[in-house]
Amino acid sequence: DEAKLRCQLLYKSWNLHFKGLTGEQRLMYDPPPESALPPNVVVPSFHVQFVLQLKRLCLLFWRNRTTKILETLILVGVVCIFSFLKRPNDLEMDSLPPIPYERLITGSKCQERFVSAFFEGPIDAAYNYILYGLAVGILTSIVVSISAAKTLTEKRLEFYREAGSGYDINAYFWAINIYTTIEQGLQVIFASILAYYIWGAISAEGIFIFNFLLIMWISVSWSLF
């Protein structure tokens, strides 16, 4: 009831004020002239939005090329330093152990001890290969995940703007994923090629690089989602 009385009092006061206005003073309260409704906003298709998002990401990459080069050097430096420190020793390389031929053909009791020296290198190499793969995988995943997560966290306001303007969010995320995968992939390929020759791996070069790419794909997907 009190609210109704206040509304009625305000209405009467406004009428008294309006009646006391002159003609020129009433012009500001006249309704605006009739006009056509604004045209409907035509939202581009998914393909067009996707291409625009990729172009914008490439433009931002060129603007921030100094930071990207620094991130690449950090990743390459970490992998190369670790590969240099974990290089295989002489026993793990492809070489024969220093055992005289006479020791191998004689029937002495010490023959078993000398023959087992042939397998020391492969056993140590297998252990170190597994250890190197685990350790370099952890280091690479940490560096790549931090670098890939920055791409999404730094664009939080941009994401809210795209979502609030009615544009397709899927096109934005597709562009972010493809761009980040290509960027991190090139960094990892460069780092894996250097690590392959520094560490002196005996596996095929393609398999070695593909292993690094798999680590990168897992790390990027984990950091983005």
Side-chain angles (χ1 to χ4, degrees):
D1 294 336
E2 184 179 356
K4 291 182 179 180
L5 293 176
R6 290 180 178 273
C7 290
Q8 293 176 0
L9 179 61
L10 181 61
Y11 177 73
K12 292 179 180 179
S13 300
W14 169 252
N15 286 332
L16 293 175
H17 172 71
F18 190 77
K19 290 178 181 180
L21 296 177
T22 61
E24 295 180 356
Q25 293 176 341
R26 292 185 181 184
L27 292 177
M28 61 182 302
Y29 299 107
D30 290 342
E34 295 183 0
S35 60
L37 295 175
N40 295 328
V41 178
V42 179
V43 180
S45 61
F46 176 85
H47 177 265
V48 175
Q49 295 183 43
F50 175 73
V51 173
L52 290 177
Q53 295 287 357
L54 280 181
K55 289 181 178 180
R56 181 166 56 184
L57 290 172
C58 293
L59 179 61
L60 292 175
F61 169 79
W62 180 251
R63 291 178 180 176
N64 302 326
R65 58 186 180 274
T66 304
T67 305
K68 298 299 181 181
I69 293 175
L70 181 60
E71 293 176 357
T72 304
L73 292 177
I74 292 175
L75 174 61
V76 173
V78 170
V79 175
C80 290
I81 292 174
F82 184 80
S83 300
F84 179 79
L85 296 177
K86 290 295 182 179
R87 287 184 303 173
N89 53 36
D90 296 336
L91 290 178
E92 299 171 10
M93 303 301 292
D94 188 13
S95 60
L96 294 176
I99 302 176
Y101 178 72
E102 292 78 8
R103 294 285 187 179
L104 298 177
I105 61 176
T106 57
S108 61
K109 298 180 180 180
C110 300
Q111 183 179 6
E112 182 180 353
R113 179 170 58 85
F114 287 103
V115 173
S116 62
F118 276 104
F119 302 96
E120 291 180 359
I123 292 174
D124 293 339
Y127 173 77
N128 290 332
Y129 266 65
I130 296 174
L131 182 63
Y132 174 81
L134 294 174
V136 78
I138 294 174
L139 291 176
T140 305
S141 62
I142 293 174
V143 177
V144 171
S145 300
I146 295 174
S147 179
K150 288 175 56 181
T151 305
L152 193 63
T153 55
E154 291 178 353
K155 298 180 181 299
R156 183 176 300 177
L157 295 178
E158 181 180 328
F159 167 74
Y160 290 145
R161 183 188 65 191
E162 297 294 327
S165 60
Y167 282 80
D168 196 344
I169 302 176
N170 293 326
Y172 173 79
F173 275 110
W174 269 97
I176 286 288
N177 277 270
I178 293 177
Y179 164 79
T180 307
T181 302
I182 294 175
E183 177 188 343
Q184 304 296 334
L186 294 176
Q187 294 176 353
V188 168
I189 289 175
F190 183 62
S192 61
I193 292 175
L194 294 179
Y196 178 83
Y197 292 103
I198 292 175
W199 188 53
I202 61 175
S203 60
E205 185 175 3
I207 300 299
F208 191 83
I209 296 175
F210 185 68
N211 180 52
F212 271 79
L213 284 176
L214 292 179
I215 295 174
M216 182 273 301
W217 286 333
I218 296 175
S219 303
V220 171
S221 62
W222 171 77
S223 63
L224 290 182
F225 298 101

